[in-house]
Amino acid sequence: MFVGHYGPAFAAKSLARSVPLWTLFLAVQLVDVAWGVFVANGIEHVRIIPGFTDSNSLDLYDMPLTHSLPAALAWAVGAGLVYAIWAPREKRRGGAVIALAVFSHWIMDLLVHVPDLALWPGGPKVGLGLWNNYPLALALEFSLLFAGFALYLRVTRAKNLVGRIWPWIFFFLLIAAEQVNHSMPLPDSIAQAGYMATATFILITALAAICDITRKPADS
Ligand SMILES: [Zn+2]
């Protein structure tokens, strides 16, 4: 799953209005940010097999440190704790929301991945396999994204004209990014695929920050 992960990020803004949207955007993709670096450096492993699923060509056969259930939980708790320690006392609640956002990644991946998510390193692997039906997987991603986005627009309001327009541009950029991702030629190497994935997640995080600059909580 790619842009569907950002549905929970947008939605989480309604649970913790003090947490910037960019932080939530980074949180929901945190394990994939690490995955990109790990596969590029041979720490985790992926094979490119054209047509492996209806949606993409990635055989994600070894990712115990980012996508096994205990690893996903550990990343979630770790990120939540880092936030809670770093945040001012009255904003510590945000740490729990960050942890939920990080863990939402595994739940969303569970829906679309073929069984490649280990219940524990070396243990049985799960995945409901919606990637084998691209139109359905895409409909799920866009529905999640739009539901979260609609909630975000309700709990925030624009500070200026840019704040009114930018979220919509950003939303359609995410839709376009999904299309580009799907129609791109296969990468030349695993390292290229990994670094490109991580760079894309960081770029999207930076674009989310423009929402933070130009909008504020609706009740403030
Ligand atoms: Zn993932």
Side-chain angles (χ1 to χ4, degrees), residues 1 5 28-29 31-32 35 60 63 66-67 105-106 109 113 117 131 201:
M1 179 170 287
H5 285 298
V28 295
Q29 293 286 22
V31 299
D32 268 8
W35 170 83
L60 300 154
M63 26 181 210
T66 57
H67 285 74
H105 184 98
W106 196 86
D109 272 1
H113 279 226
L117 304 163
W131 269 345
F201 299 137

